[in-house]
Amino acid sequence: MTRPSGLVRVLAIAAGLVSVVSSAAEGKWFDRSHAIFLPAAMSEKLGATQSFPLFWWNFLVLDDAVENGVPRPEVVGPVCDRLQSAPDSPLAKVACGANLDAFLPPLRDWARDYPLRHPFPGRGELRRKFSETFAQATLPLGRELLGVFREDPLGSYVELKSILESQVKMDLPNQAGIFVDAETKRVVIPVQFKSPPNETAATARFYSLASGTLIGPHASTYANERQVQADVEKVSLIGFLLTGLQILFLLFSKRARALWLFPPVLLSTGIAGAVTVGIFGSIHGLTLAFGTGLIGLAIDYGLHSAFNVSYRGVWKANLCGILTTVAGFGVMLWSGVPLLRQLMVFAIVGLVVTYFLFYYLHVRHGSFFAIAPFAYEPRVTRARTIAIGVVLAAAIPAALLLRPNLDMAQFDFQSSHDAAVRNWVYPHLGVKASLLDLDGATTLDEAVRHAHERQAWADANRVGFQSVARFVPTADEAATNLATWTKAFCAPGARGLAADLSADERTFFGPALVRFECESLRKLGDRDPTAQARAFPAYLRDFRSVTAGKDEVGAPGFISVWLPRDDAETALVKSRYPEALSLREVVEIFPRTLSDELRWMSPLSVLLATLLLFLYYRTPGRTLLALVPFFCAVGVYSIGVLAFGLHFSFISLIALLMIFGFSIDYGVFAVDVTLHPEGRSVNGVWTCLLFASVATGLGFVPLLVCRHPVLAHLGQTLTLGTIGTAIGTLWGIPGIARLGRRLGKTSAGGAA
Amino acid sequence: MAADPTPVSETALAEKLRFYASIKTLETDFHQVKDLRDLGMQMKSEGRLTLRRPDAVIWEVRKPARVKVELDSKGIRITSGEGKSATVQTFSSSEMSAQMQKDKATSSLHDLVAWLKLDAHALSEQYAITTTGTDARGQSRFVFTPKKPGPFASMEMELAKAGHLAKLVLNEASGDRMTLEFARPKVVKGSAP
């Protein structure tokens, strides 16, 4: 055996490139953002739950926590204590008791902006309010409240607390922030996280502090991530065992050289990754996950050659295979979904590079890769041919009848207990479905103006509405209010507020007094957008995107939420503000967009592939024959859906795309060897197809044990699709070819 | 020179607090000085304290401004000002248990109300109690140190010769200190409901 020196270099380059791609995965070239799912205009809506702290609220439900209509202190008390007191608590707010900690951060800004919300009450009234607050501060109310009094001498925190508490509504009795249901003996504690749902380390920390059932975006994201991790661990273990068995089989059957087919694929994957980063600036995690599988399919070209090293015609069939695959994938380069475009660039580059690498290596060093085929040739039987007929017949109604289920809720993994609790909580919220209303305003003034316009309409139509308008008056109103203060404290010869207070009051309220000085009041009226951005009020944090003005140019800065109580109110809001979308509508934009595109791209891909096959074979019969494995894949999967109620989702569509990638290759190889066996190793081609089918199938089978819906749908579609492709290739093409020959003879005989 | 502090038994404490054993309501004026350690200042106030057994307390500050705090089993209500300009704040809801109401803002008041019941048995269970005996004026001095951490590091109580509460010093865990001096109370005897 001669060892090609180039192979060592190939391996070294492959390792290097894989290493570069891996390190890029940790750096800025690795993309995990949601922006890739949709065109920019729609993508920003999808990111709302991550960007706006308003969506970082969840509900902690404690079972068996109510006795005689009141929360059991031994159950609720310790949970509240831990959530509120833990030094590294992941929560910004916990609605447990009248704890003021949650209101302290925004209070300073709220108190600062008092003159914007209220007109100057007169010196006497102002002095009286200061004195009353000073008297309250003499009570034994603890250090926290003392801090509140010092910051907020006019007692405006009561107003802020009232607005903040009104944001979380349920139709259950509220006892100090906690919602109590005497019937089920459950309590519901609203909690707001400091970070977005995708930062699951914070949710893990939450679970270390509190038991119970968490319902909301953080809980859902965490549960899904955990299930995916658990599934991936299972898949990895089973995959490892199956791969081990395949390697052992190759070793014991003296066909270990097949393992040398993997380094070129790794090298191509690295090159495809580098090209993708070069074009798009980064590569998304999903591109790497799905795209690597697509590039891996190119190993079939190597296998085809390895079992037929002496037959150069292999590379003509391989060329036809890759051209049909590239044509099919190439159509999707025109997709409006950035992820699909990136995925296709990655896959096409990887496939083409692999093809040329294999071609170079096999032409130059064919003997090194040569693998002895088994004495295998599929047997044609009547039963198998009938089975193929049934499968192909199933594909026709499937193409006409089956429509993918686009409901994204089906991909939300939940335990049965969590689902039951969620179904109990949400009806108590008293809202049909919140409608998100994103505002591209770049300044607070602009956002406030928009919000007040909507608030006026909401009030007139008695529809619930949450926005910055609850907190901030209109610009005109604010200017009018502020003018009364500046008139009192900025007029020539005007005395400062300190002159009206006692020495003790001046000492106690020192920090707050500065805010009533002329210079501070004038600053408050500064409408310069830059200055506003610096002093953005903390009490409006929930309504402003955390990414606004940072890394996503043009991303909506603000959000408002409509709270319709029924379908009629929803329709009313949408008739006036059609851009308002429910969260469900937002998350379903992606599968709908994808599905709409695949509706015209899939037929076009098949058409282009068919055209190429026709150019290759020059007869319609052979062209259709090469498509039999793909139609069988669709047929077997359709039988699974129709007969066994399997899922057909947009994930299934992506899986069928992968099936399309290799089923036509198999078809070409099988048609060639069936119709033109001369000059090639018949056993070699069929062994290649058997190997490829089994290896591909074994790669997908572990996904069947997954519980997460996305992986389960992938597993079902890919496994059934591979089985369909295999029987279409190994039984269908030889059987139909023989049938065709018999029919041809009969017809010729009859004519004679 | 003050005598060394000696522990006080529940029986001895009950004997000292017998003045409060049979009262139904109690009203007394007070003068208060609150020392704020961090600010290095004193806040002076005066007002009236009303106890209604078993658990209702009205803490009314009259100077420097009027503030009324009403505490009972239903929660806490703070009224500032008078008449139309009065503002009312409620800190906890009615049905919540005492433990649930131990939020940071009102825990000091809750502990104080519990203490003001002056139930010798409950106090002995919750506090380590010592006394330095009786001074020349016949006043007895006691120090209450909580057995569990709470808003108060300790409380010092002086009982007048007649047995009523004459002075109370609240040493807050934060380092702030409140000193309350009470006038002779107006008492209505009778058993608590």
Side-chain angles (χ1 to χ4, degrees):
Chain A
M1 184 178 90
T2 55
R3 185 187 178 90
S5 58
L7 204 59
V8 178
R9 287 203 299 274
V10 165
L11 278 172
I13 294 167
L17 273 168
V18 170
S19 159
V20 166
V21 172
S22 305
S23 62
E26 299 298 322
K28 63 181 178 181
W29 299 327
F30 185 63
D31 180 13
R32 290 173 58 191
S33 74
H34 64 269
I36 199 159
F37 290 110
L38 290 169
M42 289 188 273
S43 178
E44 61 198 23
K45 292 185 173 67
L46 196 64
T49 55
Q50 301 292 335
S51 308
F52 293 95
L54 190 66
F55 296 101
W56 300 354
W57 281 99
N58 288 249
F59 298 99
L60 175 62
V61 181
L62 302 179
D63 286 316
D64 199 21
V66 180
E67 198 168 61
N68 301 323
V70 298
R72 290 171 58 196
E74 70 275 20
V75 175
V76 181
V79 173
C80 288
D81 280 349
R82 281 197 298 275
L83 292 178
Q84 289 175 330
S85 313
D88 54 347
S89 171
L91 302 177
K93 291 174 193 152
V94 184
C96 266
N99 195 320
L100 288 169
D101 283 0
F103 303 108
L104 286 175
L107 180 65
R108 181 171 286 122
D109 289 351
W110 181 252
R112 176 200 68 196
D113 293 346
Y114 186 95
L116 297 174
R117 298 189 303 274
H118 302 280
F120 179 63
R123 296 190 83 98
E125 179 65 11
L126 202 59
R127 187 171 59 239
R128 188 186 66 76
K129 284 197 171 188
F130 270 74
S131 293
E132 280 176 12
T133 305
F134 189 76
Q136 285 183 40
T138 66
L139 296 169
L141 284 171
R143 190 55 81 80
E144 286 78 16
L145 207 50
L146 205 66
V148 170
F149 291 141
R150 293 193 71 207
E151 284 289 345
D152 180 31
L154 302 181
S156 64
Y157 79 93
V158 179
E159 190 186 359
L160 176 63
K161 190 165 162 276
S162 163
I163 296 174
L164 291 176
E165 285 176 353
S166 73
Q167 283 185 325
V168 184
K169 285 182 184 166
M170 291 188 86
D171 62 1
L172 295 172
N174 185 324
Q175 299 187 7
I178 300 172
F179 295 98
V180 179
D181 185 20
E183 193 181 324
T184 59
K185 297 190 173 179
R186 280 175 171 154
V187 298
V188 182
I189 304 172
V191 296
Q192 188 186 31
F193 280 75
K194 289 174 185 166
S195 50
N198 61 357
E199 292 185 18
T200 49
T203 315
R205 173 65 183 141
F206 174 88
Y207 282 118
S208 74
L209 294 173
S211 53
T213 309
L214 190 68
I215 303 295
H218 290 71
S220 174
T221 305
Y222 182 75
N224 279 278
E225 188 177 291
R226 290 259 299 193
Q227 189 54 47
V228 168
Q229 281 172 356
D231 283 346
V232 166
E233 279 173 20
K234 275 190 286 186
V235 168
S236 301
L237 180 65
I238 299 171
F240 180 76
L241 291 173
L242 290 175
T243 306
L245 285 174
Q246 290 178 73
I247 291 172
L248 281 176
F249 172 76
L250 291 172
L251 289 172
F252 283 111
S253 63
K254 298 187 173 24
R255 287 171 176 82
R257 284 189 190 188
L259 297 174
W260 285 106
L261 296 171
F262 288 96
V265 176
L266 282 175
L267 176 64
S268 307
T269 307
I271 292 170
V275 171
T276 306
V277 171
I279 294 173
F280 295 92
S282 64
I283 187 164
H284 200 275
L286 287 173
T287 304
L288 276 176
F290 287 108
T292 306
L294 291 173
I295 296 172
L297 298 175
I299 213 160
D300 297 344
Y301 305 132
L303 269 179
H304 195 205
S305 172
F307 284 112
N308 275 281
V309 284
S310 56
Y311 182 58
R312 290 297 167 99
V314 160
W315 287 100
K316 197 179 167 194
N318 279 348
L319 181 64
C320 180
I322 193 162
L323 286 178
T324 53
T325 305
V326 167
F329 289 175
V331 170
M332 290 168 211
L333 289 172
W334 278 266
S335 168
V337 178
L339 173 65
L340 213 53
R341 289 199 302 268
Q342 192 184 88
L343 184 64
M344 290 306 123
V345 166
F346 182 70
I348 289 170
V349 171
L351 284 167
V352 170
V353 173
T354 310
Y355 175 87
F356 282 111
L357 267 178
F358 276 148
Y359 180 77
Y360 169 79
L361 291 170
H362 285 240
V363 169
R364 291 276 306 264
H365 312 286
S367 58
F368 175 79
F369 291 97
I371 309 170
F374 291 101
Y376 169 71
E377 190 174 348
R379 196 161 52 89
V380 176
T381 67
R382 182 184 295 242
R384 287 179 179 179
T385 308
I386 290 171
I388 290 297
V390 171
V391 168
L392 287 174
I396 297 165
L400 298 172
L401 297 175
L402 285 181
R403 290 286 174 272
N405 178 2
L406 300 180
D407 183 3
M408 285 293 274
Q410 66 183 314
F411 299 120
D412 185 17
F413 174 82
Q414 290 181 82
S415 68
S416 54
H417 173 74
D418 288 4
V421 174
R422 190 178 77 163
N423 292 338
W424 173 80
V425 167
Y426 283 163
H428 284 297
L429 292 173
V431 172
K432 180 69 181 171
S434 304
L435 300 176
L436 319 186
D437 200 344
L438 295 170
D439 187 347
T442 51
T443 65
L444 180 56
D445 273 355
E446 198 182 349
V448 168
R449 192 174 69 249
H450 296 164
H452 273 284
E453 285 166 11
R454 282 163 167 72
Q455 185 71 60
W457 187 87
D459 292 343
N461 291 280
R462 299 186 176 184
V463 180
F465 183 63
Q466 276 186 8
S467 72
V468 293
R470 295 280 303 277
F471 298 82
V472 185
T474 61
D476 287 347
E477 199 182 334
T480 306
N481 288 335
L482 188 61
T484 61
W485 291 82
T486 50
K487 187 179 172 189
F489 292 110
C490 298
R495 284 178 294 121
L497 178 60
D500 296 346
L501 305 179
S502 70
D504 282 345
E505 287 171 338
R506 283 199 296 273
T507 306
F508 184 73
F509 293 118
L513 282 180
V514 177
R515 294 201 295 266
F516 298 97
E517 289 173 359
C518 179
E519 194 184 341
S520 304
L521 292 168
R522 286 197 196 283
K523 258 188 205 167
L524 204 55
D526 186 355
R527 310 320 290 169
D528 172 27
T530 318
Q532 277 188 46
R534 275 202 307 273
F536 189 81
Y539 55 85
L540 297 178
R541 173 180 173 266
D542 283 6
F543 298 95
R544 191 193 194 206
S545 168
V546 292
T547 58
K550 288 183 182 171
D551 52 353
E552 293 187 19
V553 177
F558 295 86
I559 195 165
S560 304
V561 180
W562 296 95
L563 304 167
R565 282 163 295 200
D566 50 38
D567 290 337
E569 283 193 358
T570 303
L572 183 66
V573 173
K574 279 178 163 285
S575 67
R576 179 69 180 82
Y577 298 101
E579 66 276 21
L581 295 174
S582 71
L583 210 50
R584 171 167 283 208
E585 288 171 316
V586 168
V587 296
E588 283 177 359
I589 293 174
F590 172 62
R592 279 189 195 286
T593 306
L594 188 65
S595 177
D596 288 347
E597 287 187 340
L598 289 177
R599 199 164 289 160
W600 66 266
M601 285 180 174
S602 301
L604 186 60
S605 293
V606 175
L607 194 69
L608 275 177
T610 307
L611 195 65
L612 284 165
L613 287 172
F614 184 76
L615 290 174
Y616 180 67
Y617 288 119
R618 310 277 175 175
T619 73
R622 292 180 184 189
T623 301
L624 284 175
L625 196 57
L627 287 168
V628 164
F630 178 64
F631 292 141
C632 282
V634 175
V636 168
Y637 175 65
S638 308
I639 290 170
V641 173
L642 296 171
F644 303 107
L646 298 183
H647 299 280
F648 182 39
S649 62
F650 83 92
I651 291 289
S652 316
L653 284 174
I654 292 176
L656 284 174
L657 185 71
M658 295 171 77
I659 299 286
F660 176 78
F662 64 87
S663 61
I664 294 183
D665 295 352
Y666 290 12
V668 171
F669 301 166
V671 168
D672 282 5
V673 76
T674 303
L675 301 180
H676 297 287
E678 60 279 2
R680 72 187 80 201
S681 162
V682 173
N683 284 339
V685 176
W686 289 117
T687 304
C688 155
L689 289 168
L690 185 65
F691 256 57
S693 300
V694 172
T696 306
L698 290 178
F700 296 146
V701 158
L703 288 170
L704 291 176
V705 302
C706 293
R707 290 181 64 204
H708 194 280
V710 169
L711 297 175
H713 292 194
L714 265 181
Q716 289 167 7
T717 315
L718 290 171
T719 304
L720 290 178
T722 307
I723 290 171
T725 300
I727 63 168
T729 306
L730 302 174
W731 299 354
I733 290 176
I736 294 171
R738 178 186 284 186
L739 196 65
R741 280 195 294 265
R742 279 185 184 169
L743 287 173
K745 277 182 188 170
T746 308
S747 140
Chain B
M1 181 180 155
D4 289 336
T6 54
V8 178
S9 68
E10 184 184 326
T11 315
L13 184 66
E15 174 61 23
K16 287 289 182 185
L17 295 175
R18 68 179 182 280
F19 177 85
Y20 290 93
S22 59
I23 61 169
K24 191 175 174 186
T25 62
L26 174 150
E27 289 179 16
T28 178
D29 292 334
F30 66 83
H31 288 267
Q32 177 189 297
V33 177
K34 189 170 185 175
D35 288 289
L36 301 179
R37 191 183 61 173
D38 292 349
L39 293 178
M41 68 172 287
Q42 287 191 334
M43 301 173 84
K44 291 177 183 166
S45 59
E46 54 187 72
R48 189 168 186 78
L49 175 71
T50 304
L51 294 175
R52 290 201 185 99
R53 299 308 257 316
D55 52 19
V57 175
I58 300 173
W59 187 293
E60 198 174 358
V61 178
R62 290 173 174 172
K63 285 182 182 175
R66 293 192 87 91
V67 177
K68 187 160 84 173
V69 182
E70 296 162 277
L71 294 105
D72 57 24
S73 57
K74 293 177 182 173
I76 300 174
R77 180 184 163 90
I78 300 178
T79 309
S80 300
E82 290 176 292
K84 286 181 182 175
S85 64
T87 54
V88 178
Q89 299 161 52
T90 305
F91 276 89
S92 294
S93 90
S94 52
E95 293 89 357
M96 300 296 287
S97 67
Q99 187 169 340
M100 286 296 300
Q101 291 182 16
K102 279 189 174 179
D103 55 70
K104 289 178 180 176
T106 57
S107 58
S108 305
L109 265 178
H110 273 286
D111 276 22
L112 183 58
V113 169
W115 190 90
L116 284 171
K117 289 178 185 173
L118 295 170
D119 176 341
H121 175 69
L123 288 173
S124 297
E125 279 200 335
Q126 291 165 24
Y127 297 90
I129 306 165
T130 56
T131 180
T132 50
T134 306
D135 65 14
R137 293 175 295 163
Q139 291 193 331
S140 312
R141 187 166 178 274
F142 298 86
V143 176
F144 294 75
T145 308
K147 291 177 180 173
K148 286 181 185 172
F152 297 116
S154 67
M155 294 161 151
E156 299 163 28
M157 173 181 81
E158 282 182 22
L159 293 178
K161 192 175 181 181
H164 65 269
L165 187 59
K167 187 176 176 182
L168 183 61
V169 179
L170 308 172
N171 295 304
E172 293 188 17
S174 62
D176 293 344
R177 177 184 169 97
M178 280 178 67
T179 305
L180 293 129
E181 290 185 352
F182 297 96
R184 186 178 178 84
K186 196 164 82 180
V187 171
V188 176
K189 294 273 182 182
S191 6

